Amino acid sequence: MIKRNFNSMCALVLAIGVSFTSCSDDDDNDGGNDDYDSVTVYASNNSNGNISVYDFESDQMVETKTLITTTTAADGIYYDDDSESVFQASRSGNSLEGFANIDDLVTESILNINFAGTSDMSSPREVAVNGNLFVVADNADVDGDEMTPDGRLFIYSFDGSSFTLRNVITTEFKLWGITFNDNDLYAVVDATNELAVFNDFLSNNTDATVSASKRIAIEGIVRTHGITYDDSTDTLIMTDIGEASNGQDDGGFHIIAGFTNKFNAVSDGETMAVAGNQVRVSGASTLMGNPVDVAYDSDNEIIYIAEAGNGGGRILGFSNFTAGGDIAPTFNSALASASSVYLED
Ligand SMILES: [Ca+2]
Ligand SMILES: [Ca+2]
Ligand SMILES: [Ca+2]
């Protein structure tokens, strides 16, 4: 967002004929790679609950730091640029937690919780944010019958200092990854290859069971977990963990470019074919066994994956995915039981 504002300012300055030689798409100091826009990737894990921060100055040059939390397992990481705050869903506390002014902290800094949510949840996973509303997907069984798939979406309002539970939506399928596209919430249908959407999701402002507006199958996926949507390129990416019991080499991800028209062309209950719609990346070279979350850096065309299984857990980056297939990651950093990634550009 900073970069877009900066570029708009540059365009304005150029339009009124003032020389402004520092205007370029390359607004960050990136060590000499003129085509690369610096980004930061945040990651959570279920091994110790600490927060990992990766500052990329190119697709390889990276500064990393670890921030120490009292939480011992976490998912659903999110970063707010305005307040330099990082948030995650604590799986040991079953609550949201936030930490302010983290940008200048050194590695191994011990964090105190600045923004605490109430302990309402049972098994929080991904977090999706829209304005001041934080939605957390909880994948615990709701009705005590494991044979009936269900889940809950907890909606919290954040006033800048604390969280208040607004309402809880029960879903008729198991949850994991969620992401907003404007006011529509996309959710993976865990334990299947399906994608669901709740149109104008936040208008559901009382506790209720809500049916998805539409559900479709994604051909080629065995069991999906992670999802992200990039609105600047209209690209949706979903991960495939294959069998959960294979944490080494049966995972992958699917890229759906030009997503909106492709999704609209598939009727409720039907299947989006691979041919003509999707690119699949999978195979032993990818180091994906259980890829549980995904983030897309569309400026630099790099896909980041939280891999929970392979090698004990990794953060992976793929910059060579256009043709799909069994490709090696271009970034690979060990992170035990990695659970989620969030990209800040
Ligand atoms: Ca159930
Ligand atoms: Ca697997
Ligand atoms: Ca994520």
Side-chain angles (χ1 to χ4, degrees):
M1 198 49 82
I2 286 174
K3 186 182 60 202
R4 291 198 188 97
N5 292 342
F6 184 85
N7 285 342
S8 302
M9 186 182 77
C10 287
L12 181 66
V13 168
L14 291 171
I16 61 176
V18 177
S19 172
F20 192 60
T21 54
S22 66
C23 278
S24 81
D25 189 46
D26 182 25
D27 54 297
D28 293 304
N29 177 8
D30 63 8
N33 180 346
D34 286 341
D35 295 327
Y36 188 85
D37 297 311
S38 297
V39 301
T40 303
V41 171
Y42 301 84
S44 62
N45 74 74
N46 281 318
S47 176
N48 60 23
N50 294 336
I51 291 167
S52 300
V53 182
Y54 308 81
D55 285 318
F56 288 91
E57 304 293 333
S58 76
D59 62 359
Q60 288 298 323
M61 290 167 52
V62 60
E63 266 183 67
T64 67
K65 66 183 177 188
T66 302
L67 303 174
I68 312 296
T69 71
T70 53
T71 278
T72 56
D75 205 327
I77 199 147
Y78 171 73
Y79 175 82
D80 175 57
D81 189 34
D82 292 332
S83 58
E84 299 185 1
S85 301
V86 68
F87 301 82
Q88 62 181 1
S90 170
R91 289 180 51 74
S92 48
N94 290 320
S95 57
L96 283 169
E97 58 186 20
F99 310 92
N101 301 313
I102 66 147
D103 283 13
D104 295 330
L105 296 179
V106 297
T107 192
E108 304 295 326
S109 292
I110 296 171
L111 299 181
N112 295 309
I113 297 174
N114 299 104
F115 316 118
T118 44
S119 181
D120 307 302
M121 297 175 281
S122 300
S123 181
R125 296 293 181 182
E126 181 65 305
V127 171
V129 179
N130 187 316
N132 68 330
L133 296 174
F134 284 58
V135 181
V136 189
D138 189 304
N139 76 327
D141 184 68
V142 179
D143 63 357
D145 180 0
E146 293 283 353
M147 299 303 290
T148 57
D150 44 35
R152 284 176 297 175
L153 294 160
F154 287 77
I155 305 170
Y156 292 89
S157 63
F158 181 58
D159 66 3
S161 60
S162 65
F163 291 97
T164 304
L165 181 61
R166 192 189 76 164
N167 64 306
V168 182
I169 299 300
T170 299
T171 61
E172 297 159 318
F173 57 86
K174 285 166 68 72
L175 289 163
W176 202 283
I178 52 174
T179 191
F180 274 105
N181 174 8
D182 287 331
N183 291 317
D184 298 338
L185 186 76
Y186 288 89
V188 307
V189 181
D190 185 24
T192 77
N193 66 342
E194 294 181 29
L195 167 66
V197 63
F198 295 89
N199 294 334
D200 199 14
F201 173 73
L202 294 169
S203 66
N204 299 294
N205 57 12
T206 58
D207 292 357
T209 297
V210 176
S211 298
S213 310
K214 178 175 170 179
R215 263 170 77 164
I216 68 168
I218 306 298
E219 185 188 32
I221 287 182
V222 175
R223 177 178 181 176
T224 182
H225 255 35
I227 186 170
T228 194
Y229 177 74
D230 177 68
D231 60 354
S232 67
T233 58
D234 190 24
T235 301
L236 186 108
I237 303 170
M238 291 169 66
T239 70
D240 179 6
I241 68 164
E243 300 298 327
S245 56
N246 178 347
Q248 296 309 309
D249 59 10
D250 70 338
F253 58 82
H254 285 216
I255 307 151
I256 307 171
F259 169 75
T260 301
N261 286 342
K262 292 173 180 173
F263 184 72
N264 290 342
V266 181
S267 301
D268 185 32
E270 300 296 317
T271 298
M272 181 185 289
V274 170
N277 294 308
Q278 312 179 45
V279 168
R280 177 177 170 89
V281 171
S282 65
S285 300
T286 68
L287 304 181
M288 287 188 288
N290 285 339
V292 290
D293 194 24
V294 55
Y296 182 34
D297 172 7
S298 60
D299 288 337
N300 299 305
E301 296 185 321
I302 300 175
I303 292 170
Y304 291 97
I305 294 287
E307 163 60 41
N310 187 288
R314 306 175 185 278
I315 300 300
L316 302 171
F318 295 86
S319 59
N320 49 352
F321 52 80
T322 311
D326 185 10
I327 55 174
T330 46
F331 176 77
N332 171 15
S333 181
L335 179 62
S337 300
S339 57
S340 73
V341 282
Y342 182 83
L343 181 107
E344 175 64 38
D345 60 3

